[in-house]
Amino acid sequence: MAGNEQESAPGGIDTSKPSVARVYDFMLGGKDNYEVDRHVAQAALRIAPDAPEAALANREFLRRTVRYLAADAGIRQFLDIGSGLPTQGNVHEVAQSVTPGAHVVYVDHDPIVLAHGRALLAVDETTTIVDADAREPEKILDDPRTRALIDFTEPVGLLLFGLLHHLKDEEDPAGIAARLIRPLAAGSHVVISHFHNPMQAHPEVSEQAFTAEKLFNEHLGTGRWRRREEILAYFDGLELVEPGLVPLPEWRPETGDHQAAPGITYHTFVGGVARKP
């Protein structure tokens, strides 16, 4: 593919710069990535050979949490911000397998995500994709396509999978999360997965997290492996659902899960679910 990537890319796609979504796609074994993305991915694999395990763990976390929200928490509408490239087991597929007709709004601003998403995610009147930046929450919440599918007087499932760790500290990710959560009705649920630096709890893992963070910031814009207390702050004012904030494979594992081994990335990707009282 390397020889004709530019020609084969959808219109408006810059294949000279790596994309977080496409690197993640590569880690999941997808085909919507280019040489520049694979170069960054290979550099990441030299630091953390089990990085694909982390990507897979995040997809399994998505599946389990969305099914929990639809089946146990009664959520019928979902707002997935930073949705990434479509792959098997997207939010609408999981939610609608439990609750046919569940509404799903996907949000992203990566051109290749939008190009694929418009074809594959906006499948009928129950799903749509919105071109918006997470750093402008009000634009997402007020977009006519969001308002057409999401009734903010009823509980919403707000999904922030692998998003907040790509926001710089000075962009105030906790503030952005709060602005997204504030208008949600009582009974809404928030799901977050986030890169994590365990610090002194796992010194070797912490060192790897700092190295990975340096790589991300050099090649992919930004990536922050935050401390547990920083990630927990995103859930301020909410009620964490058991088992709380844990490594992704530990959030209510199910039979048939890949069951990622506790390698170097095991403690560097955590997630949790919380309810708005």
Side-chain angles (χ1 to χ4, degrees):
M1 184 188 294
N4 64 350
E5 283 174 348
Q6 190 65 46
E7 291 75 17
S8 64
I13 305 303
D14 182 359
T15 61
S16 69
K17 297 178 181 178
S19 154
V20 171
R22 299 193 313 248
V23 171
Y24 184 58
D25 175 73
F26 173 82
M27 293 294 188
L28 284 170
K31 298 178 180 178
D32 294 314
N33 52 79
Y34 301 98
E35 184 178 11
V36 65
D37 309 304
R38 294 190 288 275
H39 177 75
V40 172
Q42 293 297 340
L45 289 169
R46 286 193 289 273
I47 299 169
D50 62 339
E53 297 270 358
L56 179 57
N58 194 46
R59 290 304 298 183
E60 292 184 338
F61 177 70
L62 178 154
R63 175 178 50 78
R64 295 194 305 272
T65 55
V66 170
R67 191 156 58 222
Y68 167 79
L69 263 56
D72 297 347
I75 301 297
R76 300 292 180 266
Q77 46 185 2
F78 298 82
L79 183 57
D80 182 8
I81 301 180
S83 52
L85 280 161
T87 187
Q88 187 176 10
N90 293 299
V91 171
H92 72 276
E93 295 170 330
V94 177
Q96 292 174 2
S97 71
V98 176
T99 305
H103 287 188
V104 178
V105 175
Y106 296 99
V107 180
D108 212 298
H109 71 122
D110 185 315
I112 197 167
V113 171
L114 296 168
H116 286 271
R118 287 179 180 129
L120 299 175
L121 298 180
V123 292
D124 55 35
E125 68 278 3
T126 65
T127 66
T128 192
I129 186 162
V130 173
D131 178 3
D133 192 317
R135 290 166 291 194
E136 298 180 304
E138 289 74 24
K139 286 190 176 181
I140 296 171
L141 299 170
D142 295 335
D143 190 285
R145 289 161 296 183
T146 302
R147 292 283 171 172
L149 288 182
I150 303 292
D151 177 0
F152 286 98
T153 67
E154 296 292 332
V156 175
L158 174 63
L159 312 177
L160 304 173
F161 295 108
L163 171 71
L164 296 172
H165 55 229
H166 292 305
L167 298 178
K168 301 175 183 177
D169 291 348
E170 55 267 31
E171 291 172 323
D172 188 19
I176 288 171
R179 286 156 63 191
L180 288 166
I181 294 167
R182 192 174 299 121
L184 302 184
S188 294
H189 283 64
V190 180
V191 186
I192 295 173
S193 63
H194 197 293
F195 291 159
H196 172 238
N197 189 325
M199 306 302 286
Q200 291 308 308
H202 298 278
E204 180 187 357
V205 175
S206 178
E207 182 179 348
Q208 181 269 342
F210 281 121
T211 303
E213 184 169 295
K214 184 174 184 292
L215 175 73
F216 254 73
N217 284 283
E218 287 176 351
H219 297 283
L220 286 170
T222 187
R224 285 283 285 109
W225 275 248
R226 293 189 168 97
R227 293 176 287 110
R228 179 177 179 83
E229 307 80 58
E230 294 177 288
I231 301 170
L232 283 171
Y234 301 140
F235 296 107
D236 281 353
L238 306 177
E239 301 168 345
L240 270 171
V241 173
E242 289 295 330
L245 183 67
V246 294
L248 300 182
E250 295 182 17
W251 202 93
R252 305 193 181 195
E254 298 174 350
T255 302
D257 283 348
H258 181 65
Q259 298 294 332
I264 196 73
T265 66
Y266 188 88
H267 293 283
T268 63
F269 211 169
V270 299
V273 178
R275 179 183 182 277
K276 185 173 183 179

